[in-house]
């Protein structure tokens, strides 16, 4: 009908856009599905589009001004302060690796926009992060005492933020039932949205610290990609061609006729080929061990020869002495009966 088409053509309300985008974020944030799945990324994109449309409407309506105080903001408009924080949180759910640096930098801009507005309204006491994520400290420098004190203060601030975050979440859990059911009065609703803003202040501060660390890592990875990495040269190994090993030449002819695609080789040919290339294992004895054993055998033989030579010298000396003694007691020609006259 014409009325249905006219109703369908009406632009969505600002409150509906915020509620829809907020609900998408909570569903994505609490899902058990992989963040990189197509269904989750489609919902993330839809949530970002919805919240961006709501942000444009807030800018057109000029809901917030630097000249007004927090008390001057209507209770129904307080929740729109959360738009930049929700946008940054949803953008951080995007998983495109090629655009990761662009994603985190865009999310950081939204988080910073939210924190600046909270500072302008003096909603909470916190230190505003640096406008950019540039690391001013030199690399590989030894931390001095002032740096250690600053690191200790940052750690204490993190602990305090975490404690406050848990307290705020507990209070919000109790108040949300009344707000969602529509039974909360203006004061309860105002406290509920202000507590949400305070909780998101701690979330954004933590996210910015994480983003700054990630940007530094991404920068180093980009430098490594630009530096060419020399691949080590590997020695080329010639593949061993398959063959059929036979006992003798007769079998080689038989197998060769039946398997023309595979060469044949007798055991003797195989042995001779490996002997030429020095690839034989010396019948199971390593070369070094075999050489050592040959040396030991040679030494033993030389020692035996020396001992034999010494023994021979003693026998020849004794024989010579006995011969001299015999000549002293027997005249020349004694015992030669062939010369008897």
């Amino acid at each position: 009908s014409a009325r249905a088409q006219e109703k369908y053509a009406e632009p969505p309300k600002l409150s509906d856009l915020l509620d829809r985008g907020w609900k998408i974020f909570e569903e994505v944030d609490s899902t058990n599905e992989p963040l990189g799945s197509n269904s989750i990324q489609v919902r993330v994109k839809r949530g970002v589009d919805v919240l961006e449309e709501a942000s444009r409407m807030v800018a057109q309506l000029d809901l917030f001004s630097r000249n007004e105080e927090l008390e001057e903001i209507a209770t129904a408009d307080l929740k729109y302060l959360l738009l930049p924080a929700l946008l940054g949180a949803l953008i951080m759910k995007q998983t495109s690796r090629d655009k990761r640096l662009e994603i985190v930098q865009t999310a950081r801009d939204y988080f910073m926009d939210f924190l600046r507005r909270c500072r302008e309204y003096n909603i909470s006491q916190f230190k505003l992060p640096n406008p950019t994520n540039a690391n001013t400290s030199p690399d590989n420098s030894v931390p001095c005492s002032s740096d250690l004190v600053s690191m200790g203060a940052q750690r204490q601030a993190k602990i305090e933020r975490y404690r406050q975050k848990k307290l705020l979440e507990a209070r919000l859990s109790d108040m949300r039932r009344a707000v969602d059911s529509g039974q909360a009065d203006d004061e309860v609703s105002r406290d509920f949205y202000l507590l949400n803003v305070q909780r998101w202040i701690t979330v954004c501060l933590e996210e910015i610290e994480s983003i700054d660390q990630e940007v530094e890592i991404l920068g180093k990875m980009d430098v490594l990609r630009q530096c060419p990495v020399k691949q080590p040269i590997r020695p080329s190994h010639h593949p061993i061609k398959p063959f059929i090993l036979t006992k003798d030449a007769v079998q080689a002819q038989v197998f060769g006729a039946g398997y023309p695609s595979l060469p044949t080789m007798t055991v003797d040919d195989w042995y001779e080929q490996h002997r030429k290339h020095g690839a034989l294992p010396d019948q199971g004895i390593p070369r070094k061990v075999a050489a050592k054993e040959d040396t030991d055998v040679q030494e033993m033989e030389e020692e035996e020869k020396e001992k034999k030579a010494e023994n021979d010298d003693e026998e020849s000396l004794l024989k010579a002495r006995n011969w001299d003694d015999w000549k002293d007691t027997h005249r020349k020609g004694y015992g030669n009966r062939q010369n008897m006259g």
Side-chain angles (χ1 to χ4, degrees), residues 260-315:
S261 60
L262 291 177
T264 58
M265 183 180 296
T266 64
V267 176
D268 294 337
D269 294 338
W270 179 87
Y271 185 89
E272 184 64 22
Q273 181 179 352
H274 281 68
R275 187 187 64 80
K276 290 180 180 180
H277 291 85
L280 290 177
D282 291 339
Q283 297 181 351
I285 304 175
R287 292 181 177 275
K288 293 183 178 179
V289 177
K292 186 176 184 300
E293 291 181 355
D294 293 343
T295 304
D296 295 341
V297 171
Q298 292 177 1
E299 291 179 356
M300 292 176 63
E301 291 178 353
E302 291 178 359
E303 290 179 359
E304 290 180 358
K305 288 180 180 180
E306 291 178 358
K307 289 181 180 180
K308 187 175 182 181
E310 292 176 358
N311 294 333
D312 291 344
D313 291 342
E314 291 178 359
E315 290 178 358

Short mmCIF file of all heavy atoms in Angstrom, two decimals, residues 260-315:
data_model
loop_
_atom_site.label_atom_id
_atom_site.label_comp_id
_atom_site.label_asym_id
_atom_site.label_seq_id
_atom_site.Cartn_x
_atom_site.Cartn_y
_atom_site.Cartn_z
N PRO A 260 62.58 -53.01 -20.89
CA PRO A 260 63.51 -52.18 -21.70
C PRO A 260 63.69 -50.78 -21.14
O PRO A 260 64.67 -50.13 -21.45
CB PRO A 260 62.84 -52.15 -23.07
CG PRO A 260 61.39 -52.39 -22.79
CD PRO A 260 61.35 -53.33 -21.62
N SER A 261 62.74 -50.29 -20.29
CA SER A 261 62.85 -48.92 -19.79
C SER A 261 63.82 -48.81 -18.62
O SER A 261 64.26 -47.73 -18.28
CB SER A 261 61.47 -48.41 -19.34
OG SER A 261 60.96 -49.24 -18.31
N LEU A 262 64.17 -49.95 -17.98
CA LEU A 262 65.08 -49.93 -16.85
C LEU A 262 66.39 -50.61 -17.22
O LEU A 262 66.40 -51.74 -17.69
CB LEU A 262 64.46 -50.65 -15.64
CG LEU A 262 63.27 -49.97 -14.98
CD1 LEU A 262 62.75 -50.86 -13.85
CD2 LEU A 262 63.64 -48.60 -14.46
N PRO A 263 67.53 -49.95 -17.02
CA PRO A 263 68.81 -50.59 -17.31
C PRO A 263 69.10 -51.68 -16.29
O PRO A 263 68.59 -51.69 -15.19
CB PRO A 263 69.81 -49.44 -17.19
CG PRO A 263 69.17 -48.48 -16.25
CD PRO A 263 67.70 -48.59 -16.52
N THR A 264 69.93 -52.65 -16.71
CA THR A 264 70.32 -53.74 -15.82
C THR A 264 71.79 -53.62 -15.47
O THR A 264 72.57 -52.99 -16.20
CB THR A 264 70.06 -55.10 -16.49
OG1 THR A 264 70.80 -55.15 -17.71
CG2 THR A 264 68.58 -55.30 -16.75
N MET A 265 72.20 -54.22 -14.34
CA MET A 265 73.57 -54.14 -13.88
C MET A 265 73.86 -55.40 -13.05
O MET A 265 73.08 -55.75 -12.17
CB MET A 265 73.78 -52.89 -13.03
CG MET A 265 75.21 -52.70 -12.56
SD MET A 265 75.40 -51.20 -11.55
CE MET A 265 74.99 -49.95 -12.76
N THR A 266 74.94 -56.06 -13.37
CA THR A 266 75.30 -57.24 -12.60
C THR A 266 75.92 -56.82 -11.27
O THR A 266 76.29 -55.66 -11.08
CB THR A 266 76.30 -58.11 -13.38
OG1 THR A 266 77.51 -57.37 -13.54
CG2 THR A 266 75.74 -58.50 -14.74
N VAL A 267 76.07 -57.80 -10.38
CA VAL A 267 76.67 -57.51 -9.08
C VAL A 267 78.11 -57.06 -9.24
O VAL A 267 78.58 -56.13 -8.58
CB VAL A 267 76.58 -58.74 -8.16
CG1 VAL A 267 77.29 -58.48 -6.84
CG2 VAL A 267 75.13 -59.11 -7.91
N ASP A 268 78.84 -57.75 -10.16
CA ASP A 268 80.24 -57.36 -10.38
C ASP A 268 80.36 -55.95 -10.93
O ASP A 268 81.23 -55.17 -10.53
CB ASP A 268 80.90 -58.35 -11.35
CG ASP A 268 81.00 -59.76 -10.75
OD1 ASP A 268 80.99 -59.85 -9.49
OD2 ASP A 268 81.07 -60.72 -11.53
N ASP A 269 79.44 -55.60 -11.90
CA ASP A 269 79.46 -54.23 -12.44
C ASP A 269 79.16 -53.21 -11.36
O ASP A 269 79.78 -52.15 -11.28
CB ASP A 269 78.45 -54.11 -13.58
CG ASP A 269 78.83 -54.97 -14.78
OD1 ASP A 269 80.02 -55.30 -14.89
OD2 ASP A 269 77.92 -55.30 -15.56
N TRP A 270 78.17 -53.54 -10.53
CA TRP A 270 77.81 -52.62 -9.44
C TRP A 270 78.97 -52.43 -8.48
O TRP A 270 79.29 -51.32 -8.06
CB TRP A 270 76.59 -53.18 -8.70
CG TRP A 270 76.14 -52.33 -7.55
CD1 TRP A 270 75.27 -51.29 -7.59
CD2 TRP A 270 76.55 -52.45 -6.19
NE1 TRP A 270 75.11 -50.75 -6.34
CE2 TRP A 270 75.89 -51.45 -5.44
CE3 TRP A 270 77.42 -53.31 -5.51
CZ2 TRP A 270 76.07 -51.28 -4.09
CZ3 TRP A 270 77.60 -53.14 -4.15
CH2 TRP A 270 76.93 -52.14 -3.45
N TYR A 271 79.66 -53.55 -8.14
CA TYR A 271 80.79 -53.47 -7.22
C TYR A 271 81.92 -52.66 -7.82
O TYR A 271 82.52 -51.81 -7.15
CB TYR A 271 81.27 -54.88 -6.88
CG TYR A 271 82.35 -54.92 -5.82
CD1 TYR A 271 82.04 -54.99 -4.47
CD2 TYR A 271 83.69 -54.88 -6.18
CE1 TYR A 271 83.03 -55.02 -3.51
CE2 TYR A 271 84.69 -54.90 -5.24
CZ TYR A 271 84.36 -54.98 -3.89
OH TYR A 271 85.34 -54.99 -2.94
N GLU A 272 82.22 -52.89 -9.10
CA GLU A 272 83.31 -52.18 -9.75
C GLU A 272 83.01 -50.68 -9.86
O GLU A 272 83.90 -49.84 -9.64
CB GLU A 272 83.54 -52.77 -11.15
CG GLU A 272 84.72 -52.16 -11.90
CD GLU A 272 86.04 -52.45 -11.21
OE1 GLU A 272 86.12 -53.43 -10.43
OE2 GLU A 272 87.01 -51.68 -11.43
N GLN A 273 81.75 -50.34 -10.17
CA GLN A 273 81.38 -48.93 -10.27
C GLN A 273 81.52 -48.21 -8.93
O GLN A 273 82.05 -47.11 -8.86
CB GLN A 273 79.95 -48.81 -10.79
CG GLN A 273 79.48 -47.37 -10.96
CD GLN A 273 78.06 -47.28 -11.48
OE1 GLN A 273 77.48 -48.28 -11.85
NE2 GLN A 273 77.50 -46.09 -11.51
N HIS A 274 81.06 -48.86 -7.85
CA HIS A 274 81.18 -48.23 -6.53
C HIS A 274 82.62 -48.19 -6.05
O HIS A 274 83.00 -47.29 -5.30
CB HIS A 274 80.31 -49.00 -5.52
CG HIS A 274 78.85 -48.65 -5.62
ND1 HIS A 274 78.08 -48.99 -6.71
CD2 HIS A 274 78.01 -47.99 -4.76
CE1 HIS A 274 76.85 -48.55 -6.54
NE2 HIS A 274 76.78 -47.95 -5.35
N ARG A 275 83.45 -49.18 -6.47
CA ARG A 275 84.85 -49.17 -6.06
C ARG A 275 85.60 -48.01 -6.70
O ARG A 275 86.44 -47.36 -6.06
CB ARG A 275 85.52 -50.50 -6.47
CG ARG A 275 86.95 -50.66 -5.94
CD ARG A 275 87.58 -51.90 -6.51
NE ARG A 275 87.72 -51.80 -7.96
CZ ARG A 275 88.71 -51.11 -8.57
NH1 ARG A 275 89.62 -50.47 -7.87
NH2 ARG A 275 88.76 -51.06 -9.89
N LYS A 276 85.26 -47.71 -7.97
CA LYS A 276 85.90 -46.58 -8.64
C LYS A 276 85.57 -45.26 -7.97
O LYS A 276 86.40 -44.36 -7.90
CB LYS A 276 85.46 -46.54 -10.11
CG LYS A 276 86.04 -47.68 -10.95
CD LYS A 276 85.56 -47.57 -12.38
CE LYS A 276 86.12 -48.69 -13.25
NZ LYS A 276 85.65 -48.59 -14.65
N HIS A 277 84.35 -45.13 -7.48
CA HIS A 277 83.93 -43.87 -6.84
C HIS A 277 84.23 -43.87 -5.35
O HIS A 277 83.87 -42.91 -4.64
CB HIS A 277 82.42 -43.64 -7.05
CG HIS A 277 82.06 -43.33 -8.47
ND1 HIS A 277 81.84 -44.33 -9.41
CD2 HIS A 277 81.91 -42.15 -9.12
CE1 HIS A 277 81.55 -43.77 -10.58
NE2 HIS A 277 81.58 -42.44 -10.44
N GLY A 278 84.88 -44.91 -4.85
CA GLY A 278 85.21 -44.94 -3.43
C GLY A 278 84.00 -45.01 -2.53
O GLY A 278 84.01 -44.46 -1.41
N ALA A 279 82.92 -45.66 -3.01
CA ALA A 279 81.68 -45.72 -2.25
C ALA A 279 81.48 -47.04 -1.53
O ALA A 279 80.44 -47.27 -0.94
CB ALA A 279 80.49 -45.46 -3.18
N LEU A 280 82.48 -47.93 -1.58
CA LEU A 280 82.34 -49.21 -0.90
C LEU A 280 82.62 -49.06 0.59
O LEU A 280 83.53 -48.32 0.98
CB LEU A 280 83.31 -50.23 -1.50
CG LEU A 280 82.97 -50.70 -2.92
CD1 LEU A 280 84.05 -51.64 -3.43
CD2 LEU A 280 81.63 -51.40 -2.94
N PRO A 281 81.89 -49.76 1.41
CA PRO A 281 82.10 -49.63 2.87
C PRO A 281 83.19 -50.55 3.40
O PRO A 281 83.24 -50.81 4.59
CB PRO A 281 80.73 -50.05 3.42
CG PRO A 281 80.20 -51.04 2.43
CD PRO A 281 80.71 -50.59 1.08
N ASP A 282 84.09 -51.09 2.52
CA ASP A 282 85.15 -52.00 2.95
C ASP A 282 84.58 -53.19 3.71
O ASP A 282 85.06 -53.55 4.80
CB ASP A 282 86.19 -51.26 3.81
CG ASP A 282 86.98 -50.28 2.97
OD1 ASP A 282 87.01 -50.47 1.74
OD2 ASP A 282 87.53 -49.33 3.54
N GLN A 283 83.51 -53.74 3.12
CA GLN A 283 82.85 -54.92 3.68
C GLN A 283 82.40 -54.70 5.13
O GLN A 283 82.62 -55.52 6.00
CB GLN A 283 83.78 -56.13 3.59
CG GLN A 283 84.10 -56.51 2.15
CD GLN A 283 85.00 -57.71 2.05
OE1 GLN A 283 85.50 -58.16 3.08
NE2 GLN A 283 85.17 -58.23 0.86
N GLY A 284 81.81 -53.57 5.35
CA GLY A 284 81.24 -53.30 6.67
C GLY A 284 82.19 -52.63 7.64
O GLY A 284 81.81 -52.26 8.74
N ILE A 285 83.51 -52.48 7.29
CA ILE A 285 84.49 -51.86 8.18
C ILE A 285 84.75 -50.46 7.69
O ILE A 285 85.11 -50.27 6.53
CB ILE A 285 85.80 -52.66 8.22
CG1 ILE A 285 85.52 -54.11 8.63
CG2 ILE A 285 86.80 -52.02 9.15
CD1 ILE A 285 86.73 -55.00 8.57
N PRO A 286 84.58 -49.45 8.50
CA PRO A 286 84.87 -48.08 8.06
C PRO A 286 86.32 -47.94 7.65
O PRO A 286 87.20 -48.66 8.14
CB PRO A 286 84.55 -47.25 9.31
CG PRO A 286 83.63 -48.10 10.10
CD PRO A 286 84.02 -49.51 9.85
N ARG A 287 86.59 -47.01 6.72
CA ARG A 287 87.93 -46.84 6.19
C ARG A 287 88.94 -46.47 7.27
O ARG A 287 90.05 -46.97 7.30
CB ARG A 287 87.92 -45.75 5.10
CG ARG A 287 87.15 -46.18 3.86
CD ARG A 287 87.20 -45.09 2.80
NE ARG A 287 86.52 -45.51 1.59
CZ ARG A 287 87.08 -46.23 0.63
NH1 ARG A 287 88.33 -46.62 0.76
NH2 ARG A 287 86.39 -46.57 -0.45
N LYS A 288 88.56 -45.59 8.16
CA LYS A 288 89.50 -45.16 9.20
C LYS A 288 89.85 -46.31 10.13
O LYS A 288 90.99 -46.49 10.54
CB LYS A 288 88.90 -44.00 9.99
CG LYS A 288 88.74 -42.75 9.16
CD LYS A 288 88.21 -41.61 10.00
CE LYS A 288 88.09 -40.35 9.18
NZ LYS A 288 87.56 -39.23 9.98
N VAL A 289 88.83 -47.11 10.47
CA VAL A 289 89.07 -48.24 11.35
C VAL A 289 89.95 -49.28 10.67
O VAL A 289 90.87 -49.85 11.26
CB VAL A 289 87.74 -48.87 11.79
CG1 VAL A 289 87.97 -50.08 12.65
CG2 VAL A 289 86.92 -47.84 12.55
N ALA A 290 89.69 -49.53 9.37
CA ALA A 290 90.48 -50.51 8.64
C ALA A 290 91.93 -50.06 8.53
O ALA A 290 92.86 -50.86 8.70
CB ALA A 290 89.88 -50.72 7.25
N ALA A 291 92.14 -48.80 8.24
CA ALA A 291 93.50 -48.28 8.14
C ALA A 291 94.23 -48.41 9.46
O ALA A 291 95.41 -48.74 9.52
CB ALA A 291 93.47 -46.83 7.68
N LYS A 292 93.49 -48.15 10.54
CA LYS A 292 94.11 -48.25 11.87
C LYS A 292 94.52 -49.70 12.16
O LYS A 292 95.59 -49.98 12.70
CB LYS A 292 93.14 -47.75 12.93
CG LYS A 292 93.72 -47.67 14.33
CD LYS A 292 92.72 -47.07 15.28
CE LYS A 292 93.34 -46.89 16.67
NZ LYS A 292 93.80 -48.17 17.23
N GLU A 293 93.65 -50.64 11.78
CA GLU A 293 93.97 -52.05 12.01
C GLU A 293 95.17 -52.48 11.18
O GLU A 293 96.03 -53.25 11.65
CB GLU A 293 92.75 -52.91 11.68
CG GLU A 293 91.60 -52.72 12.66
CD GLU A 293 90.43 -53.60 12.32
OE1 GLU A 293 90.49 -54.28 11.27
OE2 GLU A 293 89.46 -53.63 13.11
N ASP A 294 95.27 -52.02 9.91
CA ASP A 294 96.44 -52.35 9.07
C ASP A 294 97.72 -51.83 9.70
O ASP A 294 98.76 -52.50 9.69
CB ASP A 294 96.26 -51.75 7.68
CG ASP A 294 95.11 -52.43 6.93
OD1 ASP A 294 94.71 -53.53 7.35
OD2 ASP A 294 94.61 -51.84 5.94
N THR A 295 97.69 -50.64 10.25
CA THR A 295 98.86 -50.06 10.90
C THR A 295 99.28 -50.89 12.11
O THR A 295 100.47 -51.15 12.33
CB THR A 295 98.56 -48.62 11.33
OG1 THR A 295 98.14 -47.88 10.20
CG2 THR A 295 99.79 -47.96 11.92
N ASP A 296 98.30 -51.33 12.90
CA ASP A 296 98.62 -52.16 14.07
C ASP A 296 99.27 -53.47 13.66
O ASP A 296 100.22 -53.96 14.31
CB ASP A 296 97.34 -52.43 14.86
CG ASP A 296 96.76 -51.15 15.46
OD1 ASP A 296 97.53 -50.18 15.57
OD2 ASP A 296 95.56 -51.14 15.81
N VAL A 297 98.77 -54.09 12.59
CA VAL A 297 99.35 -55.36 12.11
C VAL A 297 100.79 -55.16 11.68
O VAL A 297 101.68 -55.98 11.98
CB VAL A 297 98.48 -55.92 10.97
CG1 VAL A 297 99.18 -57.12 10.31
CG2 VAL A 297 97.12 -56.33 11.49
N GLN A 298 101.04 -54.07 10.95
CA GLN A 298 102.41 -53.81 10.49
C GLN A 298 103.36 -53.61 11.67
O GLN A 298 104.50 -54.10 11.67
CB GLN A 298 102.43 -52.58 9.59
CG GLN A 298 101.72 -52.79 8.25
CD GLN A 298 101.68 -51.53 7.41
OE1 GLN A 298 102.21 -50.49 7.83
NE2 GLN A 298 101.08 -51.63 6.23
N GLU A 299 102.90 -52.89 12.68
CA GLU A 299 103.75 -52.67 13.85
C GLU A 299 104.05 -53.99 14.56
O GLU A 299 105.19 -54.23 15.02
CB GLU A 299 103.05 -51.70 14.81
CG GLU A 299 102.97 -50.28 14.27
CD GLU A 299 102.25 -49.36 15.24
OE1 GLU A 299 101.76 -49.88 16.27
OE2 GLU A 299 102.17 -48.14 14.97
N MET A 300 103.05 -54.86 14.67
CA MET A 300 103.28 -56.16 15.31
C MET A 300 104.27 -57.00 14.53
O MET A 300 105.15 -57.67 15.11
CB MET A 300 101.94 -56.89 15.45
CG MET A 300 100.98 -56.25 16.44
SD MET A 300 99.37 -57.07 16.49
CE MET A 300 99.86 -58.67 17.07
N GLU A 301 104.18 -56.97 13.18
CA GLU A 301 105.13 -57.73 12.37
C GLU A 301 106.55 -57.22 12.54
O GLU A 301 107.50 -58.00 12.62
CB GLU A 301 104.70 -57.66 10.90
CG GLU A 301 103.42 -58.43 10.59
CD GLU A 301 103.01 -58.30 9.15
OE1 GLU A 301 103.64 -57.49 8.42
OE2 GLU A 301 102.05 -58.99 8.73
N GLU A 302 106.71 -55.89 12.60
CA GLU A 302 108.05 -55.34 12.78
C GLU A 302 108.63 -55.72 14.13
O GLU A 302 109.83 -56.03 14.26
CB GLU A 302 108.00 -53.81 12.64
CG GLU A 302 107.71 -53.36 11.22
CD GLU A 302 107.61 -51.84 11.11
OE1 GLU A 302 107.75 -51.20 12.18
OE2 GLU A 302 107.41 -51.32 10.00
N GLU A 303 107.79 -55.70 15.17
CA GLU A 303 108.27 -56.10 16.48
C GLU A 303 108.71 -57.56 16.49
O GLU A 303 109.73 -57.91 17.10
CB GLU A 303 107.16 -55.90 17.52
CG GLU A 303 106.87 -54.42 17.80
CD GLU A 303 105.76 -54.27 18.81
OE1 GLU A 303 105.23 -55.30 19.25
OE2 GLU A 303 105.43 -53.11 19.15
N GLU A 304 107.95 -58.43 15.82
CA GLU A 304 108.33 -59.84 15.75
C GLU A 304 109.65 -60.02 15.01
O GLU A 304 110.50 -60.85 15.40
CB GLU A 304 107.22 -60.63 15.07
CG GLU A 304 105.96 -60.76 15.91
CD GLU A 304 104.88 -61.55 15.20
OE1 GLU A 304 105.13 -61.96 14.04
OE2 GLU A 304 103.80 -61.75 15.81
N LYS A 305 109.84 -59.25 13.92
CA LYS A 305 111.10 -59.35 13.19
C LYS A 305 112.28 -58.93 14.06
O LYS A 305 113.35 -59.54 14.04
CB LYS A 305 111.04 -58.47 11.94
CG LYS A 305 110.13 -59.03 10.84
CD LYS A 305 110.13 -58.10 9.62
CE LYS A 305 109.22 -58.66 8.54
NZ LYS A 305 109.20 -57.77 7.34
N GLU A 306 112.09 -57.83 14.85
CA GLU A 306 113.17 -57.37 15.72
C GLU A 306 113.51 -58.42 16.77
O GLU A 306 114.69 -58.69 17.05
CB GLU A 306 112.76 -56.05 16.38
CG GLU A 306 112.69 -54.89 15.41
CD GLU A 306 112.22 -53.62 16.09
OE1 GLU A 306 111.94 -53.69 17.31
OE2 GLU A 306 112.15 -52.58 15.42
N LYS A 307 112.45 -59.01 17.36
CA LYS A 307 112.70 -60.05 18.37
C LYS A 307 113.43 -61.24 17.74
O LYS A 307 114.34 -61.84 18.34
CB LYS A 307 111.38 -60.50 18.97
CG LYS A 307 110.75 -59.45 19.87
CD LYS A 307 109.44 -59.99 20.45
CE LYS A 307 108.79 -58.94 21.36
NZ LYS A 307 107.52 -59.45 21.94
N LYS A 308 113.01 -61.62 16.51
CA LYS A 308 113.64 -62.74 15.84
C LYS A 308 115.09 -62.45 15.54
O LYS A 308 115.98 -63.31 15.66
CB LYS A 308 112.86 -63.05 14.56
CG LYS A 308 113.34 -64.33 13.88
CD LYS A 308 112.44 -64.64 12.69
CE LYS A 308 112.91 -65.95 12.04
NZ LYS A 308 112.09 -66.30 10.87
N ALA A 309 115.33 -61.15 15.12
CA ALA A 309 116.71 -60.78 14.82
C ALA A 309 117.57 -60.86 16.08
O ALA A 309 118.72 -61.31 16.05
CB ALA A 309 116.76 -59.38 14.22
N GLU A 310 117.01 -60.39 17.21
CA GLU A 310 117.75 -60.47 18.46
C GLU A 310 118.03 -61.93 18.84
O GLU A 310 119.13 -62.29 19.26
CB GLU A 310 116.97 -59.78 19.56
CG GLU A 310 116.88 -58.27 19.36
CD GLU A 310 116.01 -57.62 20.44
OE1 GLU A 310 115.48 -58.38 21.28
OE2 GLU A 310 115.86 -56.38 20.42
N ASN A 311 117.01 -62.77 18.69
CA ASN A 311 117.21 -64.19 19.00
C ASN A 311 118.26 -64.83 18.09
O ASN A 311 119.09 -65.64 18.52
CB ASN A 311 115.89 -64.95 18.90
CG ASN A 311 114.90 -64.49 19.95
OD1 ASN A 311 115.30 -64.03 21.02
ND2 ASN A 311 113.59 -64.66 19.66
N ASP A 312 118.24 -64.48 16.79
CA ASP A 312 119.21 -65.02 15.84
C ASP A 312 120.63 -64.60 16.21
O ASP A 312 121.59 -65.38 16.08
CB ASP A 312 118.87 -64.55 14.42
CG ASP A 312 117.58 -65.19 13.91
OD1 ASP A 312 117.15 -66.20 14.52
OD2 ASP A 312 116.99 -64.68 12.91
N ASP A 313 120.80 -63.36 16.67
CA ASP A 313 122.13 -62.89 17.07
C ASP A 313 122.67 -63.70 18.23
O ASP A 313 123.85 -64.07 18.28
CB ASP A 313 122.06 -61.41 17.42
CG ASP A 313 121.80 -60.56 16.19
OD1 ASP A 313 122.00 -61.07 15.07
OD2 ASP A 313 121.35 -59.39 16.36
N GLU A 314 121.85 -64.01 19.20
CA GLU A 314 122.30 -64.78 20.36
C GLU A 314 122.69 -66.20 19.96
O GLU A 314 123.70 -66.76 20.40
CB GLU A 314 121.19 -64.81 21.41
CG GLU A 314 120.94 -63.46 22.06
CD GLU A 314 119.80 -63.52 23.06
OE1 GLU A 314 119.22 -64.62 23.20
OE2 GLU A 314 119.49 -62.47 23.68
N GLU A 315 121.89 -66.81 19.05
CA GLU A 315 122.20 -68.18 18.62
C GLU A 315 123.50 -68.23 17.82
O GLU A 315 124.34 -69.14 17.99
CB GLU A 315 121.04 -68.70 17.77
CG GLU A 315 119.77 -68.96 18.57
CD GLU A 315 118.63 -69.44 17.69
OE1 GLU A 315 118.86 -69.53 16.46
OE2 GLU A 315 117.52 -69.70 18.22
#
